[in-house]
Amino acid sequence: MEKVDNIIIGFGKAGKTLATDLGNRGETTVLIERDPNMYGGTCINVACIPSKKLADLASKKPADVNNAKYYKESIQEKKDLISKLNHANYSNVQETDNVRVIDGEASFVNENKVSVQLNSGGEVTYQADRIFINTGSTPNIPAIDGLEVDGQFIHTSRTLMDDEVFPEKLTIIGDGFIGLEFASIYRQFGSEVRVISDSPRDEFMKVADNEVAKAVLEALEDMGIEFSFGTETTKISKKDSKIKLTYKHDGKTGEYESDKVLVATGRKPNVEHLNLEAANIRLNENGSIQINKHLETSTKNVYALGDVKGGPQHTYVSLDDYRIVVSRLFDDGSYNLSVRDYLPHVTFINPPIAYIGLSEELARANGYNVKVATLPVESIPKAKLLKSTTGVYKVIIDADTNLILGTFLFGEESHEVINIITTAMNADLTYKELANQIYTHPTMAEALNNLFGNIDK
Ligand SMILES: Cc1cc2nc3c(=O)[nH]c(=O)nc-3n(C[C@H](O)[C@H](O)[C@H](O)COP(=O)(O)OP(=O)(O)OC[C@H]3O[C@@H](n4cnc5c(N)ncnc54)[C@H](O)[C@@H]3O)c2cc1C
């Protein structure tokens, strides 16, 4: 058994950032990762970066190109990029003084010991003063008769992005952000896409403002994406290289046939192989690890960061979890969950929808006296220049304080523009400051002059 200062389980955003930080502070640290294809974590290998790479390539597909050929080349281009990022992430951590990457699967022996089943065979045990769990999340596969991910016909987001065979027809189960992003990507690659959701139509994107969610749904339907709302998938079967999906809708049974099915029904915390009981680490009802505001688990000196601790699943949340832990370990702990700022969110459809804070409905339900303003994206010069005029901007203001309660930006480049709003909300700026700010021209951001200016009209 080897004694080190820190054990980090999982090469996620928080884990890798913490590993290099601890190493640079002179602390001996092992970072345990079970899958070499995941050096750098979920985001860069199988999630954010590959999906946004494909989204970019899909949006640039020339009209006169062979769909299957362009798609295959796009997947290959994505694989090249990811391979480079994976290697760069490994070197970055492994070459940091005092840090080693250990290839194997970790599980707790007790409160301060972790054993690793090495990928090369054999087992090692480490003892540490502190242990950090950053094992991420994994797709939730619903119990549907015949539903088994095979990476050829039935996919998760991870396996689909590696499959070079173009799906002429793709059925997506789930209309969360992953389902919608993939619907937008594959539709632009030229697939016929159907999204199946067990929720009713009027609950589409219920995290967003109603008015904006409606505009998003309309735009996706205009792209040619078919939606089946209030539809329960009851069975999956294979027939002559086609997948048959049996569903129930309004008490009636029907079937959809497609080349491939993507299962996009949420992700659950990755705790299965950790043997958390051995270290008395408690779970929440939904399977995530229980933490306090400093991300400490129920066991002293064991922390949980990123998706595995529950809450919003974003890479930037995992990074911010790292900040919380550093504040606890090396500062006064004053940066913690109780003071975390507003979180922006993006669904990278084309054009993207980005939002932060409360919808009009939620703001009213919470008793605020609200003022709202909207702006059609077609009125923005930069949108015309880009020939992408779909979308709408909407802001919700607290009429008593003039502070921004929420902003929903559906339109070209909104994933960038939202960061301005985040800064304004976190700095408690009133909407008037954004209404009167000088913006560069021509940009999508300059539309904030008119959007916030509309509050007073
Ligand atoms: C398709 C898709 C697209 C997404 N797009 C975005 C986006 O655009 N922007 C965004 O912010 N977020 C996005 N997300 C979410 C984002 O990817 C995750 O929130 C983020 O990657 C979680 O990081 P993490 O730090 O929790 O851990 P992860 O990056 O998930 O790392 C956990 C690591 O732990 C390893 N591991 C697990 N168990 C063990 C064990 N017992 N022993 C050793 N190693 C173990 C795993 O192999 C993995 O490498 C997307 C997710 C998906 C699925």
Side-chain angles (χ1 to χ4, degrees):
M1 192 195 63
E2 189 184 337
K3 177 139 187 0
V4 289
D5 295 326
N6 306 288
I7 297 170
I8 300 174
I9 308 174
F11 208 140
K13 183 69 181 175
K16 65 186 176 188
T17 316
L18 188 60
T20 51
D21 187 335
L22 292 170
N24 288 330
R25 290 173 194 265
E27 299 203 6
T28 52
T29 301
V30 288
L31 172 56
I32 305 165
E33 172 53 57
R34 65 181 175 193
D35 182 353
N37 294 314
M38 295 290 278
Y39 294 146
T42 299
C43 178
I44 67 143
N45 291 290
V46 297
C48 335
I49 302 287
S51 60
K52 267 84 254 183
K53 177 70 185 165
L54 291 180
D56 181 56
L57 289 167
S59 72
K60 291 176 178 157
K61 185 176 85 70
D64 55 351
V65 80
N66 175 281
N67 288 346
K69 184 167 174 288
Y70 185 82
Y71 175 73
K72 187 174 180 190
E73 287 166 0
S74 298
I75 296 287
Q76 287 165 347
E77 195 175 326
K78 182 240 39 162
K79 285 180 181 170
D80 284 351
L81 169 72
I82 299 315
S83 164
K84 286 187 190 118
L85 291 177
N86 176 290
H87 291 121
N89 270 262
Y90 179 79
S91 312
N92 187 37
V93 173
Q94 182 70 359
E95 286 165 15
T96 302
D97 286 347
N98 308 307
V99 184
R100 268 175 303 148
V101 178
I102 309 297
D103 292 288
E105 186 161 71
S107 61
F108 280 84
V109 175
N110 62 25
E111 300 190 348
N112 59 5
K113 284 197 195 111
V114 164
S115 81
V116 185
Q117 295 295 328
L118 295 169
N119 293 348
S120 57
E123 185 178 339
V124 283
T125 302
Y126 295 96
Q127 181 180 331
D129 298 335
R130 308 183 204 105
I131 302 177
F132 305 93
I133 307 169
N134 180 221
T135 50
S137 60
T138 195
N140 196 22
I141 308 295
I144 294 171
D145 186 12
L147 178 57
E148 253 176 64
V149 174
D150 60 12
Q152 193 183 0
F153 299 103
I154 304 181
H155 284 278
T156 61
S157 54
R158 175 177 182 165
T159 62
L160 185 58
M161 288 191 287
D162 275 343
D163 184 349
E164 295 180 6
V165 182
F166 177 67
E168 294 287 348
K169 263 186 165 185
L170 175 68
T171 303
I172 298 175
I173 308 176
D175 65 346
F177 88 91
I178 294 175
L180 296 182
E181 287 187 4
F182 277 71
S184 169
I185 292 169
Y186 280 81
R187 183 69 198 118
Q188 290 171 93
F189 274 130
S191 302
E192 277 178 44
V193 177
R194 174 175 297 279
V195 177
I196 310 237
S197 168
D198 55 8
S199 305
R201 187 180 178 90
D202 59 10
E203 283 183 19
F204 175 77
M205 268 201 131
K206 63 174 177 230
V207 284
D209 185 275
N210 273 348
E211 195 177 351
V212 181
K214 263 191 201 152
V216 171
L217 179 54
E218 221 170 83
L220 290 172
E221 288 182 326
D222 284 350
M223 271 173 87
I225 297 168
E226 309 264 4
F227 284 85
S228 299
F229 290 105
T231 301
E232 186 198 349
T233 305
T234 54
K235 192 176 171 190
I236 302 278
S237 54
K238 195 167 154 252
K239 195 179 110 203
D240 306 330
S241 297
K242 296 276 178 205
I243 299 296
K244 203 169 74 181
L245 181 148
T246 311
Y247 66 85
K248 241 195 207 157
H249 175 79
D250 274 350
K252 291 189 194 114
T253 299
E255 282 175 2
Y256 292 124
E257 199 178 75
S258 53
D259 301 307
K260 295 178 198 287
V261 168
L262 167 66
V263 188
T265 44
R267 293 173 66 84
K268 59 180 182 191
N270 242 336
V271 291
E272 221 167 90
H273 303 281
L274 287 171
N275 195 26
L276 295 174
E277 315 77 59
N280 297 312
I281 296 167
R282 284 198 289 273
L283 296 180
N284 296 308
E285 257 175 37
N286 65 5
S288 58
I289 295 180
Q290 269 183 29
I291 36 112
N292 66 14
K293 65 181 182 181
H294 302 290
L295 306 184
E296 291 158 328
T297 67
S298 49
T299 294
K300 198 168 180 331
N301 295 323
V302 179
Y303 295 74
L305 306 89
D307 286 5
V308 75
K309 66 167 205 322
Q313 298 177 347
H314 298 298
T315 298
Y316 44 88
V317 171
S318 184
L319 177 63
D320 201 54
D321 287 352
Y322 149 79
R323 295 187 191 110
I324 288 178
V325 165
V326 167
S327 172
R328 180 63 161 171
L329 297 180
F330 303 111
D331 206 340
D332 59 359
S334 59
Y335 187 59
N336 57 55
L337 281 184
S338 70
V339 294
R340 175 172 271 165
D341 288 334
Y342 292 101
L343 274 187
H345 305 270
V346 182
T347 299
F348 287 87
I349 51 177
N350 188 8
I353 152 106
Y355 55 96
I356 183 166
L358 300 178
S359 63
E360 181 178 348
E361 300 75 43
L362 266 182
R364 291 192 192 283
N366 281 308
Y368 285 101
N369 178 17
V370 304
K371 295 194 277 194
V372 301
T374 56
L375 185 81
V377 163
E378 65 189 355
S379 69
I380 305 173
K382 176 71 188 283
K384 287 183 188 143
L385 178 162
L386 293 172
K387 291 194 185 149
S388 178
T389 51
T390 300
V392 61
Y393 284 5
K394 179 166 179 178
V395 284
I396 298 97
I397 304 296
D398 181 344
D400 299 327
T401 61
N402 286 341
L403 292 173
I404 305 163
L405 295 171
T407 303
F408 295 78
L409 305 177
F410 173 41
E412 203 58 58
E413 296 174 7
S414 64
H415 56 302
E416 301 284 357
V417 180
I418 196 72
N419 293 308
I420 299 174
I421 310 284
T422 309
T423 306
M425 287 176 75
N426 289 332
D428 286 339
L429 299 183
T430 69
Y431 78 87
K432 288 180 189 282
E433 317 232 17
L434 290 181
N436 297 318
Q437 177 173 312
I438 298 172
Y439 298 95
T440 49
H441 169 80
T443 56
M444 294 301 285
E446 71 182 326
L448 298 182
N449 278 149
N450 287 341
L451 174 67
F452 287 99
N454 282 347
I455 288 283
D456 295 318
K457 286 190 179 151

